[in-house]
Amino acid sequence: MTFGDLKLMLAQQVNRSDMESTWYPIWINRALRRIQNDTSFTFMRSRADVTMAAGESSATLPDDFKELTPEKSAITIVDPSLISQGVLAELPCELTSRENMLNYRAATFVPSRPANVRGRLAGLPVYLDRRWSGVSGSTVSTGGTTINILDVTAEPLAFRVSYFAYLPALANDVDTNTLLLEYPDLVESKVKSIAFSALNDPVATNFELASGKLLAEAVLDDKRRLNSGRVYRMGG
C-alpha cells in the first residue's frame, strides 16, 4: 500500500473533491502519527550518535526522536581513551531529571560530576528536555528534544542514544513505509476515523473502534515477531 492508494481510498469512500488536494494528505499523515503516538513498534527502533560540543551543556537529538527505548542503558557515552586500549568504549549514563540533579547538589554540596574527567564518565548524569516550537513576534524558535548535563563540558562528549523514531511523513504517491506494508487494515481504519470525524459523520465512531482493535492485534503481532524462535532459560 502507498500514499496514492490511501488517497484513492478516500476519494472513493469520502468523496469530497473539494478537500482532496489539501485535507486528504493531512488526514493520512495525521492518522500515521497518531498510531505511532499510541505505540512504539520494533521497526521504529533507531540509534544515533550525538555530540555535545565543548562549552555547551546540551545537544539536540534527531528530529525523528519519539522516546527512548526501554533498555537499561538507552544513553551511553563513548570514552576515546578506552578505544585506544581496545576495551569497551561505551559507558552507560545515568538518566535522571534536572530537578533531581539540583536537589542532589543542594543536599551534598558536591558539584555534578565533571564531564572532562576521564575514567569518571561511567554513570554520567544526564536528562532530557523537550523544547516546543513557537513564535514570539518575529522570532521563530525551533523545537526538539535535547540531552543535557548540569554544567558545561570542557571537551566534546560523544553520546550514543537508542530511541524510537517517527516514520517520515508521506509526500509522494509512491511513498510507503513499514507501518503501511505490515498493518494496512489498521492504517485504513485510522484514516477513515479521522476523515469522517472531521466531517462530523457518526460512522467515524465505528472506524475508531475498529482501529483500536486492529492496533491491539498489531502490538501483539509485533511482540510475537520480536520473540519468535527465542528460547528463554536461566543458568548455563
Side-chain angles (χ1 to χ4, degrees), residues 73 102 109-110 180:
S73 301
L102 290 173
F109 300 102
V110 175
L180 272 171

Side-chain angles (χ1 to χ4, degrees), residues 68-130:
L68 295 173
T69 56
E71 59 198 88
K72 186 175 182 180
S73 301
I75 301 177
T76 59
I77 189 167
V78 180
D79 189 338
S81 65
L82 296 180
I83 296 178
S84 61
Q85 300 174 32
V87 298
L88 181 65
E90 287 188 55
L91 303 172
C93 293
E94 179 185 349
L95 182 63
T96 181
S97 67
R98 184 174 184 273
E99 180 182 12
N100 285 342
M101 294 168 72
L102 290 173
N103 288 341
Y104 176 80
R105 171 180 287 184
T108 61
F109 300 102
V110 175
S112 62
R113 187 171 305 179
N116 62 321
V117 178
R118 293 300 179 195
R120 300 187 65 191
L121 287 177
L124 177 70
V126 298
Y127 67 93
L128 298 186
D129 188 27
R130 176 68 177 173

Side-chain angles (χ1 to χ4, degrees), residues 8-224:
L8 178 60
M9 177 198 71
L10 289 176
Q12 294 173 339
Q13 299 192 29
V14 176
N15 194 23
R16 286 292 300 267
S17 58
D18 57 320
M19 296 182 166
E20 185 172 347
S21 61
T22 301
W23 285 102
Y24 286 8
I26 291 176
W27 290 338
I28 291 169
N29 281 301
R30 186 175 294 170
L32 291 169
R33 187 75 168 203
R34 287 187 183 177
I35 292 172
Q36 294 173 83
N37 282 338
D38 287 337
T39 191
S40 293
F41 292 97
T42 54
F43 55 75
M44 294 168 61
R45 284 178 177 264
S46 188
R47 192 163 170 81
D49 291 333
V50 179
T51 300
M52 186 179 296
E56 299 290 339
S57 61
S58 68
T60 303
L61 296 180
D63 291 339
D64 61 0
F65 178 87
K66 180 196 174 187
E67 61 187 0
L68 295 173
T69 56
E71 59 198 88
K72 186 175 182 180
S73 301
I75 301 177
T76 59
I77 189 167
V78 180
D79 189 338
S81 65
L82 296 180
I83 296 178
S84 61
Q85 300 174 32
V87 298
L88 181 65
E90 287 188 55
L91 303 172
C93 293
E94 179 185 349
L95 182 63
T96 181
S97 67
R98 184 174 184 273
E99 180 182 12
N100 285 342
M101 294 168 72
L102 290 173
N103 288 341
Y104 176 80
R105 171 180 287 184
T108 61
F109 300 102
V110 175
S112 62
R113 187 171 305 179
N116 62 321
V117 178
R118 293 300 179 195
R120 300 187 65 191
L121 287 177
L124 177 70
V126 298
Y127 67 93
L128 298 186
D129 188 27
R130 176 68 177 173
R131 300 173 183 175
W132 300 98
S133 300
V135 179
S136 177
S138 58
T139 303
V140 179
S141 59
T142 302
T145 302
T146 57
I147 182 172
N148 309 268
I149 58 177
L150 201 54
D151 298 300
V152 298
T153 175
E155 58 187 286
L157 298 178
F159 295 97
R160 285 180 179 165
V161 183
S162 295
Y163 68 103
F164 289 107
Y166 282 112
L167 300 174
L170 304 180
N172 303 307
D173 284 349
V174 296
D175 288 351
T176 188
N177 57 40
T178 308
L179 188 55
L180 272 171
L181 296 174
E182 295 293 335
Y183 307 110
D185 293 342
L186 167 60
V187 176
E188 286 184 20
S189 293
K190 195 65 175 181
V191 170
K192 293 176 187 177
S193 170
I194 290 175
F196 285 114
S197 178
L199 299 173
N200 296 316
D201 192 320
V203 75
T205 302
N206 297 333
F207 289 116
E208 184 61 25
L209 291 173
S211 67
K213 180 176 181 294
L214 290 167
L215 177 62
E217 293 175 354
V219 170
L220 289 175
D221 177 71
D222 189 54
K223 290 183 177 180
R224 178 188 59 78

